[in-house]
Amino acid sequence: MKNIALLITVLTLFSIYAGPAAAQGINGGKPPIEIKPGTFEFFMKNGLEQFSKNNFDQAISEYEKALKIRPADVDALYNMGLCFQYKKDNQAAMRCYEKALAADPRHYAANLNAGIASDDMGKTGDALTYLLKAASLEPGRFEAYYNLSNIYLAQKKYAEAIDACRRGLAANPVHDRLHNNLGNALFNTSNAQEAIKCAQTAALINPKNETAFFNLGTYYEKAGEPKAAMENYKKALEIKPDHYDAQLNLAILEAESGNLISGEARLAKNKLLNPADARAYYNLGVIYSMKNENQKALAEFKAALERDASYAAELEPYIKQLSGGK
């Protein structure tokens, strides 16, 4: 049984979402000296106030009143779209952004957030179109590049991701998530040492960025430095104790280094964190087999196979062996 390999580690990506750009103020952020009730400016002001309190439905109601006065006002349309986006109603948000862009195709924030909303709806092609447009309109801003890098990483287009990250970092050199993404792309192009530098920079910029420490762990593993990898997984867990993959990868390294007790305890905790994931069961089975606790190993291997049929070719012979050939 000892020839069963422990699972390889995994790498964390940040989810696609830089956060919608800010709501637009009245008259370019310069409110008039006097705002009379019932006017466009009055409803816009009320909308902004409600938005700032996260009262999105009330804000939408105010923007609807403003749009009755100025049906094609870009700021009102954009702000209402922003409210819908914060409510996770991306379809309604897109209707607002499309109207805003019909009135002003060069509206950076509407293009940016239309890209984010499109990607959230699984419309990657549309998302790229909007985000590339936003980047072309404001090449000195980082938000579009950050979201583009996330999409390219998900598509495994690493050259494009590297370019987007570097453009974004030229605009904002202290954006820790862009450093994370650049390291991720470099790691996937077999440049582990440069990836380590990127993750170290991200961790220096934001010491609470658990993904930077988790990714450092995976990079150090690839570089053949298990001690450094374990140290960084532990740092990630200090920040986020329920980080499933950090717990999993640390458990694997501890088991491989001979600390089966700690590895077993971490994997038992992982089963509680995500009962549907087969990896903790699989690796617990490996540890139990290394400890010659065959019945426990059998139970874990069966549980892993129930959750992920792709283990069948590897595990079925061992399950049959441990079951006495039955």
Side-chain angles (χ1 to χ4, degrees):
M1 292 297 297
K2 291 184 180 180
N3 63 335
I4 296 180
L6 290 166
L7 279 183
I8 60 171
T9 56
V10 296
L11 190 68
T12 291
L13 292 176
F14 272 107
S15 60
I16 305 263
Y17 199 68
Q24 304 297 306
I26 306 166
N27 295 337
K30 298 178 181 179
I33 297 174
E34 180 182 359
I35 299 178
K36 296 180 181 179
T39 63
F40 173 83
E41 290 79 10
F42 177 80
F43 294 126
M44 286 290 287
K45 176 178 178 293
N46 288 348
L48 287 168
E49 289 176 353
Q50 294 298 327
F51 177 85
S52 69
K53 298 174 184 177
N54 295 329
N55 296 330
F56 302 123
D57 287 330
Q58 293 91 324
I60 289 168
S61 177
E62 295 299 318
Y63 292 133
E64 286 175 339
K65 295 172 187 175
L67 286 165
K68 287 181 180 179
I69 299 171
R70 297 184 190 174
D73 186 84
V74 175
D75 290 340
L77 288 165
Y78 169 76
N79 286 2
M80 190 159 71
L82 196 62
C83 292
F84 281 118
Q85 195 165 12
Y86 272 97
K87 281 166 54 69
K88 307 299 182 184
D89 187 347
N90 287 310
Q91 289 186 341
M94 283 302 300
R95 288 194 291 270
C96 295
Y97 294 146
E98 286 168 356
K99 290 178 182 178
L101 290 170
D104 181 6
R106 298 182 60 81
H107 194 287
Y108 171 81
N111 277 289
L112 173 70
N113 290 347
I116 295 171
S118 295
D119 191 74
D120 284 344
M121 292 189 291
K123 298 179 179 181
T124 306
D126 290 344
L128 288 171
T129 297
Y130 286 117
L131 292 171
L132 288 167
K133 177 68 172 180
S136 70
L137 290 170
E138 296 283 353
R141 297 183 64 164
F142 75 92
E143 300 95 343
Y145 295 119
Y146 169 65
N147 285 284
L148 282 167
S149 72
N150 277 313
I151 292 176
Y152 290 139
L153 283 172
Q155 294 179 328
K156 299 184 179 181
K157 294 182 177 180
Y158 300 120
E160 290 88 342
I162 289 170
D163 179 68
C165 288
R166 287 178 171 159
R167 290 176 183 271
L169 288 169
N172 186 352
V174 294
H175 193 275
D176 57 314
R177 296 186 180 190
L178 275 166
H179 284 286
N180 264 348
N181 284 2
L182 179 57
N184 195 321
L186 290 168
F187 178 76
N188 280 286
T189 53
S190 301
N191 200 336
Q193 291 303 320
E194 288 301 312
I196 287 172
K197 293 178 183 177
C198 290
Q200 287 174 332
T201 300
L204 283 172
I205 292 170
N206 181 7
K208 297 296 184 180
N209 184 338
E210 75 277 2
T211 300
F213 291 108
F214 172 74
N215 285 354
L216 268 174
T218 66
Y219 302 157
Y220 278 122
E221 276 199 72
K222 180 69 173 180
E225 300 182 47
K227 184 177 179 180
M230 286 192 282
E231 289 174 355
N232 281 282
Y233 288 142
K234 289 176 181 177
K235 289 179 181 177
L237 288 167
E238 288 173 5
I239 301 166
K240 191 174 188 295
D242 62 348
H243 194 301
Y244 181 88
D245 289 317
Q247 197 82 259
L248 176 72
N249 293 357
L250 180 57
I252 292 170
L253 285 177
E254 287 176 335
E256 288 179 340
S257 67
N259 191 348
L260 298 182
I261 294 175
S262 181
E264 178 184 342
R266 290 187 188 280
L267 290 170
K269 182 177 180 179
N270 259 32
K271 290 200 301 182
L272 298 176
L273 289 174
N274 188 356
D277 192 293
R279 293 173 295 165
Y281 300 90
Y282 172 92
N283 285 292
L284 262 177
V286 174
I287 288 177
Y288 287 136
S289 71
M290 293 170 73
K291 295 171 65 179
N292 295 316
E293 297 180 16
N294 291 338
Q295 289 308 304
K296 287 185 177 180
L298 176 61
E300 299 300 333
F301 286 145
K302 284 183 176 179
L305 189 55
E306 287 172 1
R307 288 161 175 78
D308 189 343
S310 68
Y311 286 119
E314 180 181 2
L315 289 183
E316 282 180 348
Y318 293 109
I319 290 173
K320 184 176 181 179
Q321 178 184 336
L322 292 172
S323 300
K326 297 180 181 179

